């Protein structure tokens, strides 16, 4: 689909109610089996375990091809009468995605971002969309203009010997292999964020320069929020707060307290850089074809290099380091980080050349953290408050899952609000927690817990001898998980 089509308004598909899936009618055989088992259970005075109602299979909705959206002349009218007004805190990937999904459903929202504008901070790194490369259609984005599809993933020793290869090119050349349908899309974080922001089309509910500093919840009534705006405090009201404010979330801190699930250091530092291919002129390497992802490790340091745009690459070097040392190195700034990265990677071509050609102001680095996985009980403290994305489940970048999970969270929450707070839902009497939040959080925490755990494990094994095993699979998949990113 072309950009002009992306720019049109969307509304939810009436056939699947914006879910992208439709329940197939349960087969008669299973309905009868269940009916019989239920009768027997009731006749036995309800002894033993009650039979579980079989679930109908969900099929992709044909009307909207599974996106949950159909084109429309304009966005639906905002339904202030029925739906809660949502204060979304944080205009990163998850927050903007939630705003877009609310817009498509007529759910009123205000999106607050502490940065004063889109470019306020350098946020230059690339993301790999895995599961979310399909989910992104649920936000009305059917083609990511700036996205790059990689077709080959290689793993090397420091001398340049290939010890692992996978991806479309490998599979296509191997007659007996089944080709996977999933495609990984590489995109700069800011390009994805911009694509989402463009969907909002300059919506007046987007408030830059608003840093949430406090909120007060009044039992199932409107919540009062305080923002720091231009050095002054401004107040606002909402029916639901969604903390999409990242790994150091203020909403999470105010709700749960930072001491309960503090930042957990994962014993390593990441140094990142972006290098234009034009700075590598004269260097002839098949690894720089804008469709190859490659990594090289020695059991301690590990570098991962992927297409960032069609004419640049992003590198991510990581290695174990004491927390205090990592903080000190990060604080020294880009020149020191670049020097450290160069010192540690005098490996095969084109790695030293790429690092050398990267401008220091395109280099950043930070110690890697996550947090222990939340429990639903901790989130239940907020009757009209929830979290999503990194605020709810921060994880190391080594499985490339953080933004993927944030997008899935945003879609799930918008769909939950649409269903749970619709015209006949009675959510005002039942409370939004019972109507929407508990189910949303249960699914989100279940889905993301494994990603948090696997990402933390990857922070260990990618800097161990496991990376040196000859194996045509993502590193660590011989141990278990099979996410394609690392
Ligand atoms: C190097 C690196 C590589 C990565 N690679 C991948 C990858 O390949 N694939 C992937 O899926 N993920 C990846 N991730 C993770 C991904 O970037 C994050 O998980 C994702 O951005 C989380 O989105 P979010 O919306 O929850 O938080 P963020 O994108 O961090 O957004 C939070 C927003 O909240 C704002 N904010 C904070 N506090 C306040 C406040 N008090 N008031 C108002 N606004 C506030 C911030 O300014 C920010 O804009 C990577 C991360 C890094 C660092």
């Amino acid at each position: 689909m072309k950009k002009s089509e992306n720019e049109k308004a969307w509304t939810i598909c009436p056939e699947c109610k914006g879910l992208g899936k439709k329940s197939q009618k349960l087969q008669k055989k299973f309905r009868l089996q269940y009916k019989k088992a239920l009768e027997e259970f009731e006749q036995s005075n309800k002894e033993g375990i009650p039979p579980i109602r079989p679930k109908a299979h969900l099929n992709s909705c044909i009307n909207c091809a599974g996106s949950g959206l159909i084109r429309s002349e304009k966005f639906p009218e905002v339904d202030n009468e029925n739906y809660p007004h949502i204060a979304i805190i944080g205009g990163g990937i998850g927050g903007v995605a939630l705003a877009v999904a609310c817009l498509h459903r007529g759910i009123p929202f205000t999106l607050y971002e502490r940065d004063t504008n889109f470019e306020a901070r350098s946020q230059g790194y690339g993301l790999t969309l895995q599961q979310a490369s399909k989910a992104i259609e649920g936000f009305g984005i059917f083609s990511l203009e700036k996205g790059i599809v990689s077709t080959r993933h290689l793993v090397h020793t420091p001398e340049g010997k290939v010890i692992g290869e996978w991806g479309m090119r490998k599979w296509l050349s191997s007659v007996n292999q089944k080709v996977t349908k999933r495609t990984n899309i590489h995109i700069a974080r800011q390009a994805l964020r911009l694509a989402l922001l463009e969907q909002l089309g300059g919506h007046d509910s987007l408030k830059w320069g608003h840093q949430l500093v406090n909120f007060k919840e009044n039992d199932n009534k409107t919540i009062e929020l305080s923002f720091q705006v231009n050095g002054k405090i401004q107040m606002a009201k909402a029916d639901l707060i969604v903390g999409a404010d990242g790994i150091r979330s203020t909403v999470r801190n105010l709700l749960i307290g930072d001491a309960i699930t503090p930042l957990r250091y994962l014993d390593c530092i990441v140094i990142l850089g972006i290098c234009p291919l034009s700075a590598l002129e004269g260097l002839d390497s098949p690894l720089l074809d804008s469709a190859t992802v490659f990594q090289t490790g020695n059991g301690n340091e590990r570098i991962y290099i992927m297409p960032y745009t069609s004419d640049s690459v992003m590198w991510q070097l990581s290695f174990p380091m004491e927390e205090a040392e990592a903080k000190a190195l990060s604080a020294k700034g880009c020149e020191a980080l670049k020097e450290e990265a160069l010192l540690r990677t005098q490996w095969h071509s084109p790695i030293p050349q790429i690092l050398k050609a990267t401008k220091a102001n395109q280099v950043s680095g930070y110690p890697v953290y996550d947090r222990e996985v939340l429990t639903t009980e901790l989130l239940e403290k907020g009757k009209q408050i929830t979290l999503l994305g990194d605020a709810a489940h921060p994880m190391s970048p080594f499985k490339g899952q953080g933004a993927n999970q944030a997008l899935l969270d945003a879609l799930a929450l918008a769909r939950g609000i649409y269903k749970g707070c619709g015209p006949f839902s009675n959510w005002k009497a039942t409370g939004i927690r019972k109507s929407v939040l508990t189910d949303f959080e249960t699914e989100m925490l279940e889905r993301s817990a494994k990603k948090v755990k696997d990402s933390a494990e990857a922070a260990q094994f990618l800097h161990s001898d496991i990376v040196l095993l000859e194996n045509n699979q993502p590193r660590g998949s011989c141990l278990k998980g099979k996410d394609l990113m690392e």
Side-chain angles (χ1 to χ4, degrees):
M1 201 167 286
K2 290 192 194 81
K3 187 165 183 275
S4 59
E5 288 172 330
N6 269 344
E7 281 167 358
K8 288 219 171 133
W10 297 94
T11 188
I12 60 142
C13 166
E15 289 285 317
C16 63
K17 309 271 183 288
L19 295 175
K21 288 197 171 125
K22 278 184 78 177
S23 179
Q24 190 182 299
K25 210 171 163 226
L26 201 61
Q27 273 184 32
K28 194 174 173 194
K29 185 172 106 186
F30 296 120
R31 266 187 290 135
L32 290 177
Q33 272 174 4
Y34 171 68
K35 199 171 156 222
K36 190 164 168 248
L38 191 66
E39 278 166 9
E40 281 171 9
F41 175 70
E42 274 164 4
Q43 277 161 14
S44 73
N45 263 341
K46 301 194 174 174
E47 273 173 21
I49 304 165
I52 298 169
R53 190 185 198 92
K55 279 197 182 143
H57 185 72
L58 290 174
N59 287 334
S60 182
C61 174
I62 298 169
N63 192 43
C64 60
S67 69
L69 299 175
I70 52 163
R71 287 213 195 97
S72 167
E73 280 306 307
K74 53 187 175 68
F75 290 113
E77 289 289 314
V78 178
D79 186 349
N80 286 302
E81 193 64 36
N82 286 301
Y83 289 108
H85 187 107
I86 305 175
I88 305 170
I89 312 301
I93 301 292
V96 183
L98 178 62
V100 172
C102 286
L103 182 69
H104 293 155
R105 289 163 176 79
I107 301 171
F109 68 89
T110 310
L111 173 57
Y112 299 97
E113 167 55 48
R114 75 174 164 196
D115 288 345
T116 47
N117 60 66
F118 180 71
E119 303 285 358
R121 269 177 310 127
S122 138
Q123 302 173 40
Y125 60 83
L127 298 170
T128 303
L129 292 181
Q130 301 173 63
Q131 312 90 320
S133 61
K134 174 73 187 156
I136 197 83
E137 294 182 358
F139 300 101
I141 300 175
F142 289 81
S143 75
L144 277 166
E145 214 188 322
K146 299 263 164 69
I148 315 270
V149 174
S150 62
T151 51
R152 185 166 63 147
H153 197 131
L154 293 169
V155 187
H156 305 96
T157 63
E159 295 73 38
K161 180 184 165 204
V162 174
I163 51 170
E165 178 178 355
W166 62 92
M168 204 66 85
R169 269 185 263 176
K170 172 96 182 158
W171 295 322
L172 288 176
S173 66
S174 165
V175 203
N176 297 324
Q177 291 273 7
K178 226 172 103 186
V179 174
T180 176
K181 278 198 233 149
R182 201 170 81 184
T183 316
N184 285 354
I185 300 175
H186 306 281
I187 185 160
R189 177 184 178 274
Q190 283 291 66
L192 174 63
R193 194 172 170 228
L194 187 62
L196 287 163
L197 276 168
E198 277 171 353
Q199 295 287 311
L200 289 179
H203 202 280
D204 55 10
S205 291
L206 174 52
K207 308 273 182 212
W208 295 100
H210 282 62
Q211 179 176 3
L212 180 87
V213 287
N214 208 351
F215 60 75
K216 209 162 85 196
E217 206 181 8
N218 312 314
D219 242 6
N220 274 347
K221 295 202 189 97
T222 313
I223 323 171
E224 285 180 3
L225 303 97
S226 322
F227 292 93
Q228 178 110 38
V229 186
N230 271 333
K232 292 198 179 116
I233 294 294
Q234 266 187 26
M235 307 298 288
K237 288 187 174 169
D239 301 307
L240 170 66
I241 296 186
V242 181
D245 48 348
I247 184 166
R248 291 170 203 274
S249 166
T250 303
V251 179
R252 179 176 175 137
N253 189 17
L254 292 168
L255 181 68
I256 300 170
D258 213 31
I260 293 190
T261 48
L263 286 177
R264 188 164 61 175
Y265 184 54
L266 292 175
D267 301 318
C268 59
I269 184 169
V270 166
I271 304 180
L272 307 156
I274 292 157
C275 178
L277 294 178
S278 59
L280 298 166
E281 257 168 35
L283 181 68
D284 187 19
S285 169
L287 299 175
L288 299 174
D289 62 356
S290 300
T292 297
V293 173
F294 66 101
Q295 56 176 308
T296 300
N298 62 5
N300 192 58
E301 285 88 3
R302 180 244 190 187
I303 196 161
Y304 171 92
I305 303 185
M306 67 173 216
Y308 180 67
T309 58
S310 56
D311 53 12
S312 63
V313 290
M314 181 197 90
W315 52 268
Q316 178 185 294
L317 173 71
S318 52
F319 48 88
M321 196 174 237
E322 290 292 323
E323 185 177 9
E325 212 185 327
K327 278 183 176 171
L329 176 57
S330 168
K332 275 189 194 164
C334 54
E335 297 278 2
L337 287 161
K338 179 176 169 180
E339 199 180 314
E340 183 76 32
L342 261 168
L343 260 177
R344 289 179 181 254
T345 51
Q346 289 306 306
W347 294 342
H348 66 88
S349 173
I351 295 171
Q353 294 92 328
I354 292 176
L355 269 62
K356 190 159 176 253
T358 304
K359 285 197 175 133
N361 66 4
Q362 290 294 319
V363 178
S364 55
Y366 60 91
V368 180
Y369 295 95
D370 72 357
R371 291 181 196 266
E372 193 183 326
V373 173
L374 277 178
T375 58
T376 40
E377 289 74 32
L378 283 171
L379 282 171
E380 271 167 13
K381 285 182 173 184
K383 293 198 171 51
Q384 298 156 264
I385 301 161
T386 193
L387 304 173
L388 62 71
D390 278 7
H393 44 64
M395 56 190 85
S396 92
F398 298 114
K399 283 257 168 188
Q401 275 290 328
N404 281 271
Q405 294 300 312
L407 290 168
L408 298 179
D409 297 347
L411 204 50
L413 180 56
R415 285 173 171 169
I417 296 168
Y418 186 72
K419 189 170 167 218
C421 302
F424 306 106
S425 65
N426 206 22
W427 69 269
K428 286 180 186 154
T430 324
I432 196 160
R433 168 140 295 284
K434 204 165 164 200
S435 311
V436 178
L437 302 185
T438 302
D439 280 355
F440 158 69
E441 289 159 2
T442 307
E443 188 277 329
M444 169 179 71
L445 294 178
E446 258 176 40
R447 168 171 42 78
S448 59
K450 187 173 177 319
K451 310 295 179 195
V452 174
K453 186 167 165 280
D454 290 353
S455 304
E457 282 173 13
Q460 300 295 318
F461 71 68
L462 289 174
H463 310 114
S464 77
D465 286 348
I466 291 173
V467 285
L468 300 171
L469 293 176
E470 296 211 15
N471 187 345
N472 285 335
Q473 277 182 327
R475 304 295 88 177
S477 56
C478 49
L479 300 179
K480 55 184 165 96
K482 285 204 175 150
D483 287 321
L484 292 175
M485 164 74 182
E486 31 79 25

